[in-house]
Amino acid sequence: MKKISAILILGLIVMAASLNCSELKGKRKSFSSKLLLREGWAIQSSDNVQENGGIVSTGKFKPNRWHACSVPSTVLAALCKNNVFPDPYFGDNLRKIPGYQDGIWLSMTDDSPFRIPYWYRTEFSLPEQYKGKKLWLHFDGINYKANIWLNGTRIADSRSIVGMFRRFAFDVTDNITAGKNYLAVQIIAPAQSHGKNNKDTDMQCTSSWDDHCPYPPDGNMGIWRDVYIRATGPVTIKHPNVVTDMDLPSTDTAHLEISTEIKNAGDKQVKGTLRAVITDVDNIDQGGTSKGRGKRISVYQTVILNPGKTKEIIFSPDKFSELNIINARLWWPNPLGPQNLYNLHVEFEIDGEISDSTSINFGIHEITTRLDERGWRVFQCNGKNILGRGGTWMTSDLLLQFSSKRYESMKRYAKEMNWNLMRVEGYSIKELPEFYDMCDKYGIMLAPEIFARNTRIPDLQLECFKEHLLEIRHHPSLIHFIGHDETVPTPYIDAGYRKLIQKYAPYITYQAGSGGIAEERSGMGGSRTGGPWNFSPPSYYYGRDSNTEWTKQLRDYASGATYSGGIGGEVALVENFYKFLPENERWPTDKSTWHFHTICSDTWLDGTEEGRVVPSFTKLLNRRYGKANSLEEFSYKGQIMTMETMRALHEVVGRNKYDCTFLLTWKFNSPWPTTLSWNVVDWYLAPTGAYYGTKKACEPLHVQYSYDNDSIYVINSHYQSFKNLKVIAEIYNLDMTRKYSKAATISISPDSSNKVFDIDWPGDLSKIHFLKLELKNKTDNLISSNFYWLSTEPDVSSDFSDLDNLPEVDLDISYSKVKNGDTCTIYVDLKNPSSDLAFAINPKIKKSVSGDLVLPIYWQDNYFSLLPGQKQKVKVEFDIRDLGKERPSLVIDGWNIKKEKITISAL
């Protein structure tokens, strides 16, 4: 950015006045300009409707025996809510719905009832203040094609209304009446080309699900995003944006450029004022009004616009000096700094009346990316390197039933795991704005794949991306685009992606593909896809104990950049098994329905017994931790096994920073209930053992053990140094005899990986022994602790089944609670009064009557162990509203823990 001369700044003060927004509000006419059409809809198959749209969209038509629904909703979601079909999330009910096919994506059978179009119909009236306004009918998401009728007139047909990820707006000023209005939409499903198709052919611009859950038989047909009426004056505003430029490495001054598109939809020339106001987000109330505190920046331009014309208006920092902000509150990814946000409000005023207005939140930051000397991708924020740690986000619900609660809880989980980067998988939907809002709030950077594969309609594919790009480009969490999943776009599509990004968001970087399995960087853009897809023990990720092809790959996997790695499966919590599996299908794990709810219905890999995920996982669990004789035991041991492995996966990444530049696990979430899948948080919003292993490994200041060379490291993810830190390592036998102790003092530099010392193993260890690590500051306060269970045998063949012989421990338990609004915080004090190890303690908050887990739940730590005499205080937070009418119970469970249930006193 060129420096701005003092003379130029003085010359611009007249044009860029600072305005008191609260004073202006009282002088200009304004009103709520958006009418959401969510309630009062009904759907019906065209098979059961003889009339055409010209009749269905009038008051003459009576929707008798139609199915009531709200919008957004897919057809299948609405039919299930009306009990036409059974709950598709339970048991094998999904298989019982007509048209369902195992292992087939983007295809419908010839006799599928969803090949037939479905009608959506609603009635509505306009507010009185809409009289005399320009009226716009908006559809933000239709899957896949549609014919739209309003008050007997077709306003759009399926030749133009096509593509799941496009937004449509129609001028309906002349079609809407002052009284009752009737809207009818005929939806045509995707995946209708033939009936024996798979996920990689005939790709359309729609959701396709890949191998992480079954394909819904309706293809997610329906109105899947909001429908609404907007009332404006003749000039409308679209696509506001703010771009930051800083004089890096200095962040003292941020130069902001504001842009927006305005259109004169009237039939006369218009002269008006376009005003842009920037305010701190924490200075805006829920209604979007300034609270009158904090810093505000307001700039304006006088604009003349001819009828029918569209124009992009730019407020640049070299013409508007207020947009050069000194000591701005920067947005940082988690956990490297605060997620400061600002609000941009843009409005167009004509003769004292607001024609249109809109607002966005944005962050002041500058993200860059480069390929290092080895060809691996590296991300930087505000001039600082970032070690990317995170996972892959999948569409969060099978029937596209989205909620702000799910988005927020999942992103808070990611933040509390100390993640900072996610890939949005290309087979998934183009996510809603609320998803990006939560990533902004919690500091989770995003690298979405634009699509999974090339479609046969590339121009529509590019149009879908353009719509999505313009809607999300202002979010600070959006940092990078990936063309396709494990492949690359055709030259035509690739050039189209690049052109659109360069035109509308040149500050966001791009690579063609995520990378192939074990594939080098060539042609992909500096990354690889990892693995393994079957479960492996912790040492696997350090390249120890095996010379298989997978391990050779993983020696590199702990370096470079990986978009899709993982541990091969996480098992559900036992309380949640009860919610979606019939009792006779819960145990053992070879039950048909059990497998239906696992990875790819457990047919993935090579179809052999070893290649199937459930048998291979079960075999390793039984060998490593002793045979599981019940679902409860299988689930609990599965949490411990996945916790130790996911911890190792992320710890090797931390140790090898920036030899490893980022690692994203496959995957973070699941769109439906699973028995064994790759997600670390399940569909019920329950964190698994893998979640807590990740949370431990990704602590910003962390002490850890290396499985490959027995070294102890301290990892510093802060941009500050620490002096005189004390590292303590102790080794205990199974009988709790201490066999080894070593301490060292270390000072560490910012954003660093630091070897402290090597473990000198004593010669008389029990077959199972334990390594306890502590990191303390100079005042002896505990910063980080870690606890490993290890074997004298090679890790790949370790047998921890003797843990089953640990004596039962009766813990001393007390608690205190704090209520703040709807949030309850409980502090649980635990002490091990025995002479034995209390292993893998698992505290829970349950509903006192039903026994269901209270979810979401935010434990500070879980599955932790206490040595004899050791104490620990652990904090948990939950929303009181999630209790319903029940009271909370504190349940303390664990490997060898005497189970305790304590009903929490009145909240």
Side-chain angles (χ1 to χ4, degrees):
M1 170 66 65
K2 294 182 179 179
K3 304 301 181 185
I4 303 171
S5 70
I7 296 176
L8 181 57
I9 292 175
L10 290 172
L12 289 168
I13 289 176
V14 176
M15 293 187 63
S18 295
L19 303 175
N20 187 317
C21 297
S22 59
E23 293 177 2
L24 284 173
K25 187 177 180 183
K27 297 180 182 179
R28 293 176 282 131
K29 296 180 182 179
S30 185
F31 63 95
S32 178
S33 64
K34 187 174 181 178
L35 175 66
L36 284 168
L37 304 180
R38 285 181 174 170
E39 303 303 324
W41 289 80
I43 70 166
Q44 184 56 272
S45 170
S46 294
D47 246 6
N48 301 321
V49 180
Q50 304 306 313
E51 295 85 351
N52 62 32
I55 300 298
V56 175
S57 62
T58 66
K60 298 177 183 179
F61 182 80
K62 304 302 178 186
N64 298 322
R65 302 180 68 181
W66 283 41
H67 306 290
C69 73
S70 58
V71 163
S73 176
T74 66
V75 167
L76 184 55
L79 294 176
C80 290
K81 285 183 178 179
N82 280 273
N83 298 315
V84 175
F85 301 121
D87 178 3
Y89 301 95
F90 184 81
D92 63 353
N93 285 345
L94 185 62
R95 282 174 163 158
K96 300 172 184 176
I97 297 174
Y100 174 78
Q101 303 176 83
D102 268 330
I104 301 294
W105 288 264
L106 281 176
S107 175
M108 287 187 181
T109 59
D110 292 335
D111 60 352
S112 170
F114 303 108
R115 277 189 171 271
I116 300 163
Y118 261 78
W119 284 104
Y120 281 68
R121 185 183 187 275
T122 191
E123 304 174 6
F124 65 92
S125 299
L126 295 181
E128 178 64 27
Q129 62 264 40
Y130 280 22
K131 185 177 180 180
K133 297 293 181 180
K134 205 79 173 167
L135 300 175
W136 304 89
L137 174 61
H138 288 255
F139 289 84
D140 279 356
I142 289 174
N143 192 26
Y144 182 64
K145 298 180 179 181
N147 297 295
I148 302 173
W149 301 74
L150 178 62
N151 294 332
T153 300
R154 183 160 63 182
I155 61 173
D157 63 30
S158 58
R159 291 172 297 179
S160 59
I161 309 302
V162 57
M164 185 177 184
F165 309 116
R166 296 174 67 196
R167 294 178 294 158
F168 301 95
F170 306 100
D171 184 348
V172 293
T173 308
D174 297 332
N175 302 94
I176 285 187
T177 69
K180 188 69 69 70
N181 293 275
Y182 306 91
L183 176 61
V185 186
Q186 187 185 47
I187 301 291
I188 302 166
Q192 297 207 32
S193 57
H194 47 73
K196 46 187 178 181
N197 177 24
N198 66 42
K199 64 179 181 179
D200 290 331
T201 61
D202 197 36
M203 289 290 294
Q204 293 178 297
C205 298
T206 184
S207 58
S208 54
W209 293 106
D210 195 12
D211 51 20
H212 45 277
C213 79
Y215 187 67
D218 71 335
N220 290 136
M221 71 182 297
I223 301 175
W224 71 282
R225 291 188 62 181
D226 275 329
V227 180
Y228 50 95
I229 301 288
R230 287 188 70 238
T232 71
V235 175
T236 59
I237 299 173
K238 292 176 67 176
H239 311 313
N241 195 27
V242 181
V243 179
T244 301
D245 184 20
M246 289 186 283
D247 307 311
L248 297 177
S250 171
T251 58
D252 293 342
T253 303
H255 313 287
L256 305 186
E257 180 180 275
I258 301 170
S259 64
T260 193
E261 181 182 289
I262 60 174
K263 179 179 180 179
N264 182 0
D267 55 5
K268 297 179 182 178
Q269 187 185 76
V270 169
K271 180 179 181 180
T273 301
L274 180 67
R275 183 175 292 106
V277 181
I278 293 175
T279 314
D280 292 352
V281 161
D282 57 12
N283 191 38
I284 298 289
D285 65 22
Q286 291 184 349
T289 303
S290 171
K291 296 177 182 177
R293 304 191 306 270
K295 185 175 182 179
R296 292 191 304 276
I297 299 170
S298 182
V299 292
Y300 65 90
Q301 293 187 41
T302 299
V303 179
I304 297 174
L305 198 60
N306 289 326
K309 296 298 182 181
T310 299
K311 187 176 184 180
E312 183 183 38
I313 305 297
I314 295 175
F315 297 87
S316 62
D318 59 342
K319 294 182 179 179
F320 294 86
S321 60
E322 288 91 333
L323 299 181
N324 298 284
I325 302 177
I326 298 174
N327 296 325
R329 298 163 61 249
L330 301 182
W331 186 92
W332 290 92
N334 176 61
L336 307 175
Q339 288 76 56
N340 296 309
L341 293 172
Y342 290 82
N343 177 266
L344 170 69
H345 178 79
V346 184
E347 60 188 27
F348 195 87
E349 178 184 346
I350 306 171
D351 297 331
E353 185 170 343
I354 302 302
S355 177
D356 195 13
S357 65
T358 190
S359 295
I360 59 169
N361 290 342
F362 69 97
I364 295 179
H365 75 322
E366 190 168 338
I367 299 286
T368 56
T369 180
R370 62 180 175 82
L371 299 183
D372 66 15
E373 63 279 1
R374 302 165 300 159
W376 294 115
R377 187 165 297 280
V378 182
F379 292 108
Q380 290 185 315
C381 181
N382 303 328
K384 302 285 189 181
N385 285 335
I386 302 167
L387 177 64
R389 291 166 134 176
T392 298
W393 175 268
M394 315 307 305
T395 305
S396 59
D397 188 79
L398 176 70
L399 303 187
L400 309 188
Q401 298 176 111
F402 305 122
S403 71
S404 297
K405 176 181 177 180
R406 182 174 293 275
Y407 280 139
E408 174 136 30
S409 59
M410 292 298 293
K411 293 308 172 183
R412 179 174 173 181
Y413 278 137
K415 180 182 177 76
E416 295 204 357
M417 277 194 295
N418 296 299
W419 277 4
N420 56 27
L421 180 62
M422 280 191 186
R423 176 176 67 112
V424 181
E425 217 266 3
Y427 283 106
S428 301
I429 65 163
K430 309 295 171 258
E431 277 294 347
L432 304 186
E434 292 83 357
F435 169 82
Y436 292 90
D437 290 340
M438 290 302 105
C439 292
D440 295 345
K441 177 179 179 179
Y442 289 108
I444 310 300
M445 302 180 296
L446 293 169
E449 290 175 347
I450 299 173
F451 272 91
R453 299 289 188 268
N454 300 301
T455 73
R456 295 185 182 180
I457 34 179
D459 289 332
L460 179 59
Q461 189 168 347
L462 294 174
E463 182 62 27
C464 286
F465 175 53
K466 175 185 174 182
E467 285 284 340
H468 188 53
L469 175 61
L470 288 169
E471 185 177 26
I472 66 174
R473 62 178 177 168
H474 63 277
H475 288 278
S477 56
L478 178 63
I479 67 164
H480 186 66
F481 280 114
I482 306 165
H484 291 174
D485 177 58
E486 299 178 7
T487 63
V488 294
T490 65
Y492 180 80
I493 293 174
D494 182 62
Y497 289 160
R498 293 176 187 273
K499 182 178 179 180
L500 289 168
I501 293 169
Q502 182 60 37
K503 181 175 181 179
Y504 295 113
Y507 47 89
I508 300 175
T509 52
Y510 167 83
Q511 67 183 84
S514 62
I517 294 175
E519 188 170 353
E520 292 300 317
R521 283 80 67 203
S522 176
M524 288 293 180
S527 65
R528 67 159 77 83
T529 293
W533 309 123
N534 261 354
F535 196 85
S536 300
S539 61
Y540 225 70
Y541 300 94
Y542 290 83
R544 180 178 176 182
D545 295 334
S546 175
N547 290 313
T548 66
E549 286 303 312
W550 275 117
T551 303
K552 291 176 184 177
Q553 172 193 329
L554 291 171
R555 292 182 191 277
D556 291 330
Y557 179 45
S559 68
T562 304
Y563 275 121
S564 186
I567 65 171
E570 289 88 30
V571 65
L573 274 66
V574 67
E575 292 87 351
N576 290 341
F577 272 108
Y578 303 152
K579 294 181 179 180
F580 68 91
L581 287 186
E583 186 173 359
N584 63 346
E585 288 288 330
R586 293 174 187 164
W587 188 255
T589 62
D590 59 0
K591 298 289 187 178
S592 171
T593 307
W594 215 100
H595 283 240
F596 183 46
H597 282 266
T598 192
I599 301 167
C600 318
S601 301
D602 204 25
T603 58
W604 197 79
L605 291 189
D606 58 14
T608 66
E609 186 71 9
E610 287 300 314
R612 298 174 67 205
V613 176
V614 175
S616 61
F617 184 94
T618 303
K619 181 179 179 180
L620 180 59
L621 183 145
N622 288 338
R623 187 188 72 204
R624 193 170 178 86
Y625 283 97
K627 184 177 180 180
N629 296 304
S630 67
L631 179 63
E632 290 76 10
E633 188 178 0
F634 180 88
S635 174
Y636 180 77
K637 287 185 173 180
Q639 307 309 317
I640 306 307
M641 189 166 77
T642 56
M643 184 181 81
E644 67 157 344
T645 301
M646 190 66 95
R647 176 179 61 181
L649 170 64
H650 285 285
E651 284 184 338
V652 73
V653 171
R655 188 193 71 176
N656 294 355
K657 74 156 59 175
Y658 287 93
D659 183 27
C660 177
T661 61
F662 64 81
L663 169 74
L664 304 186
T665 63
W666 173 261
K667 55 191 169 76
F668 178 38
N669 61 318
S670 178
W672 82 320
T674 55
T675 52
L676 181 66
S677 186
W678 293 305
N679 49 277
V680 297
V681 178
D682 76 9
W683 185 74
Y684 296 103
L685 303 179
T688 65
Y691 167 89
Y692 290 106
T694 302
K695 185 175 182 179
K696 175 63 68 176
C698 296
E699 290 174 325
L701 197 54
H702 178 65
V703 61
Q704 66 183 54
Y705 164 72
S706 300
Y707 280 83
D708 58 342
N709 59 19
D710 302 323
S711 58
I712 305 300
Y713 272 73
V714 172
I715 312 304
N716 180 15
S717 296
H718 296 288
Y719 295 138
Q720 67 179 83
S721 60
F722 294 89
K723 294 183 178 180
N724 300 319
L725 298 178
K726 186 177 182 181
V727 179
I728 305 166
E730 295 178 332
I731 298 173
Y732 293 83
N733 271 345
L734 187 61
D735 64 1
M736 290 292 94
T737 304
R738 189 171 71 177
K739 306 301 294 181
Y740 176 87
S741 180
K742 186 173 183 178
T745 300
I746 185 174
S747 295
I748 58 178
S749 57
D751 193 24
S752 60
S753 172
N754 307 272
K755 182 178 178 179
V756 186
F757 53 72
D758 293 325
I759 295 291
D760 301 313
W761 295 103
D764 54 348
L765 291 176
S766 55
K767 179 178 152 183
I768 299 174
H769 49 275
F770 306 96
L771 172 63
K772 179 186 176 185
L773 301 177
E774 289 186 335
L775 177 67
K776 296 182 177 182
N777 62 17
K778 61 183 179 181
T779 58
D780 215 36
N781 292 320
L782 186 66
I783 299 171
S784 171
S785 65
N786 221 333
F787 189 81
Y788 299 83
W789 45 104
L790 302 168
S791 174
T792 53
E793 300 172 337
D795 181 56
V796 73
S797 57
S798 291
D799 178 3
F800 296 115
S801 59
D802 282 349
L803 291 171
D804 283 337
N805 300 322
L806 285 172
E808 184 179 70
V809 174
D810 188 359
L811 297 172
D812 293 340
I813 305 166
S814 62
Y815 75 90
S816 60
K817 66 181 187 300
V818 177
K819 182 176 178 291
N820 183 11
D822 293 320
T823 300
C824 179
T825 303
I826 296 177
Y827 298 90
V828 183
D829 289 284
L830 300 168
K831 179 182 178 181
N832 178 5
S834 77
S835 59
D836 299 299
L837 175 68
F839 184 64
I841 302 166
N842 177 211
K844 308 173 185 179
I845 300 293
K846 291 189 173 185
K847 298 179 182 180
S848 57
V849 178
S850 65
D852 289 341
L853 294 169
V854 176
L855 298 171
I857 193 80
Y858 305 103
W859 285 99
Q860 183 181 25
D861 196 4
N862 218 313
Y863 302 101
F864 52 87
S865 299
L866 294 179
L867 297 176
Q870 187 178 356
K871 300 177 182 179
Q872 182 159 335
K873 182 189 289 287
V874 63
K875 171 185 171 184
V876 63
E877 283 186 6
F878 59 91
D879 192 320
I880 296 169
R881 292 170 293 183
D882 292 325
L883 291 167
K885 296 181 180 180
E886 299 187 48
R887 291 174 64 182
S889 294
L890 171 63
V891 177
I892 305 297
D893 207 344
W895 190 282
N896 62 321
I897 308 303
K898 182 180 179 181
K899 191 171 183 178
E900 296 283 349
K901 178 181 177 181
I902 304 170
T903 301
I904 304 297
S905 57
L907 297 177

